[in-house]
């Protein structure tokens, strides 16, 4: 099999299920590919560049088939769907969100997804700075939530501290009744999908209030859908 950056990145993603992010090294990837570690440096300079390439593969999966939404699209539904799809993609891989966080995504996928989202928001009446901050808020929430969600699987611990009985000990309900309910029913509850979409709905609703409060922006860029 010919080795190239895409093959190295895919191998790294496949290895996460076995070794996790902390156990992923250039040597481990090289061993899986059947080459010596220095060979990988022709394709990725170091582990950070490996993570960048792995994150780019995940984002390409998350945005596969992404099409321009059109001027009449429902912007809250569009933004929500993009976040849900990104989370689903990150969850396919052990430590996928940790890999994704803080990486430098090269290639056209991120700029294109950003342009489509910003165009939709600007056409809906948002000023560009508000649209950009909204895009970042949703992206950071999605990645941050998924990091915490994957951490709650307890792979880094000998005994998972997020098991119900341990949570009950950490949040005694007789002393912290609200925190205990929030911890067991929401933060570490049985339905992370509902928890995620509930938090996302708060962010999207807050973004919508910017339009209600300030009205449509009349100075925004109104270019066409040429992406």
């Amino acid at each position: 099999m010919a080795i190239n950056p895409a093959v190295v990145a895919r191998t790294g993603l496949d290895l996460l299920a076995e070794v996790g992010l902390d156990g992923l090294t250039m040597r481990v990837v090289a061993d899986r590919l059947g080459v010596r570690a220095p060979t990988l440096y022709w394709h990725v300079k170091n582990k950070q560049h490996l993570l960048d390439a792995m994150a780019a593969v995940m984002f390409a999966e998350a945005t596969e088939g992404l099409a321009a939404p059109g001027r009449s699209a429902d912007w809250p539904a569009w933004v929500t769907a993009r976040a849900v799809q990104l989370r689903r993609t990150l969850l396919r891989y052990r430590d996928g969100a940790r890999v994704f966080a803080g990486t430098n995504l090269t290639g056209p996928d991120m700029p294109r997804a950003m342009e489509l989202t910003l165009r939709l928001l600007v056409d809906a009446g948002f000023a560009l700075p508000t649209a950009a901050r909204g895009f970042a808020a949703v992206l950071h929430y999605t990645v941050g939530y998924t990091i915490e969600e994957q951490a709650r699987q307890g792979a880094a611990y000998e005994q998972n501290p997020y098991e119900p009985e341990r949570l009950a000990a950490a949040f005694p309900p007789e002393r912290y009744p609200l925190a205990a309910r929030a911890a067991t029913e929401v933060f570490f509850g049985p339905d992370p999908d509902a928890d995620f979409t509930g938090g996302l709905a708060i962010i999207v609703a807050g973004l919508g209030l910017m339009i209600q409060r300030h009205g449509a922006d009349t100075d925004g860029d109104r270019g066409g859908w040429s992406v």
Side-chain angles (χ1 to χ4, degrees), residues 92-154:
R92 292 176 193 163
Y93 303 97
R94 176 181 171 185
D95 295 330
R98 285 180 61 203
V99 170
F100 191 85
T103 53
N104 176 34
L105 295 183
T106 58
D109 295 303
M110 175 58 83
R112 182 172 184 273
M114 183 183 297
E115 182 69 19
L116 291 177
T117 305
L118 293 177
R119 173 60 55 204
L120 177 66
L121 294 176
V122 168
D123 284 345
F126 289 94
L128 179 58
T130 302
R133 290 170 188 140
F135 176 90
V138 171
L139 176 63
H140 297 163
Y141 167 75
T142 302
V143 176
Y145 180 93
T146 312
I147 288 175
E148 296 294 333
E149 182 179 5
Q150 292 185 311
R152 294 197 294 270
Q153 297 172 4

Side-chain angles (χ1 to χ4, degrees), residues 12-78:
L13 287 171
D14 292 342
L15 280 166
L16 287 175
E18 301 175 26
V19 302
L21 176 57
D22 294 333
L24 186 69
T25 65
M26 298 289 280
R27 183 174 299 278
V28 168
V29 176
D31 289 345
R32 177 56 55 89
L33 289 170
V35 300
R36 300 182 64 180
T39 301
L40 294 186
Y41 293 104
W42 288 99
H43 306 286
V44 290
K45 295 180 181 179
N46 51 43
K47 184 174 180 179
Q48 184 58 56
H49 284 197
L50 171 62
L51 298 181
D52 290 347
M54 292 164 61
V57 170
M58 288 190 288
F59 195 75
E61 292 179 358
T63 57
E64 184 177 4
L66 183 64
R71 293 182 182 276
S72 61
D74 180 349
W75 72 261
W78 163 270

Side-chain angles (χ1 to χ4, degrees), residues 167-181:
L167 286 175
F171 296 89
E174 66 278 2
R175 186 172 184 181
Y176 308 111
L178 297 179
R181 285 190 58 192

Side-chain angles (χ1 to χ4, degrees), residues 75 79 121 126 130-131 134-135 138 202-211:
W75 72 261
V79 170
L121 294 176
F126 289 94
T130 302
F135 176 90
V138 171
I202 292 172
I203 295 173
V204 172
L207 188 58
L209 287 176
M210 301 296 291
I211 289 290

Side-chain angles (χ1 to χ4, degrees), residues 161-225:
Y162 302 104
E163 293 176 349
E165 62 273 15
R166 297 183 182 277
L167 286 175
F171 296 89
E174 66 278 2
R175 186 172 184 181
Y176 308 111
L178 297 179
R181 285 190 58 192
T184 57
E185 298 175 15
V186 181
F187 298 145
F188 313 113
D191 193 349
D193 291 342
D195 183 24
F196 172 76
T197 55
L200 181 60
I202 292 172
I203 295 173
V204 172
L207 188 58
L209 287 176
M210 301 296 291
I211 289 290
Q212 296 180 24
R213 182 176 301 172
H214 301 294
D217 171 51
T218 57
D219 297 321
D221 179 9
R222 303 291 178 177
W225 292 91

